[in-house]
Amino acid sequence: METTDRFRAAVEQRDLSALDELFTEDVRFYSPVKFTPFEGRPMVLGLFGVLLRTFEDFRYIGRFDGTAETSADGGEAPSEILLFRATVGGREIHGIDLLQYDGTGRIKEFTVMVRPQSALQTLSEAVLAGLVADGLVPGPA
């Protein structure tokens, strides 16, 4: 799918502005550390800004496509999985990005899964610090 190629290029080039038109207005981002999704294009773009700063040596290493049920409405949607490797805080991360599309080819749901748990913990702490620094979520009480 063309959107996947554009998404991949934007992430690999750390070009946040190129991501804007790829998401639906009501996009949902399912994080590996939070049960409820991040919702809406402004929040998801803010999250991507933090992620692009946080990941080191980020690279996609594989791709699969097909269809899958979405979380929001349970309908089937065109979907692609991008496998990635990266480093955060000195810890190597293996993960997948699941992109699910609406009828116009824009990303309506985005799910991330990563391993191992120790790297997930490091990633979680770094992303939370970035979200707080950028004013996207309140700081710890």
Side-chain angles (χ1 to χ4, degrees):
M1 179 170 273
E2 177 187 336
T3 303
T4 304
D5 295 331
R6 292 171 54 207
F7 172 83
R8 181 177 178 162
V11 169
E12 289 176 339
Q13 295 166 14
R14 299 178 184 262
D15 183 356
L16 187 61
S17 64
L19 292 173
D20 184 45
E21 65 186 32
L22 302 180
F23 295 119
T24 62
E25 200 59 45
D26 60 347
V27 62
R28 290 174 170 228
F29 182 106
Y30 293 91
S31 162
V33 298
K34 183 176 177 279
F35 181 75
T36 57
F38 292 91
E39 295 186 73
R41 189 185 304 158
M43 176 55 94
V44 170
L45 287 172
L47 176 59
F48 266 96
V50 172
L51 291 170
L52 294 177
R53 292 192 315 263
T54 301
F55 282 119
E56 305 155 30
D57 190 29
F58 186 93
R59 63 212 177 277
Y60 283 114
I61 61 166
R63 177 175 173 171
F64 299 93
D65 63 43
T67 60
E69 185 178 292
T70 63
S71 296
D73 61 16
E76 253 192 31
S79 305
E80 297 210 40
I81 295 173
L82 296 173
L83 290 79
F84 67 85
R85 299 285 188 265
T87 305
V88 174
R91 299 207 180 266
E92 186 175 335
I93 291 179
H94 301 181
I96 65 166
D97 290 338
L98 169 61
L99 291 73
Q100 295 183 281
Y101 302 97
D102 71 0
T104 66
R106 293 170 71 196
I107 301 167
K108 69 178 183 175
E109 287 193 13
F110 191 96
T111 303
V112 178
M113 296 182 196
V114 298
R115 64 163 302 280
Q117 184 177 0
S118 59
L120 175 60
Q121 184 64 36
T122 301
L123 175 63
S124 174
E125 292 167 2
V127 170
L128 177 59
L131 290 171
V132 169
D134 289 0
L136 294 168
V137 299

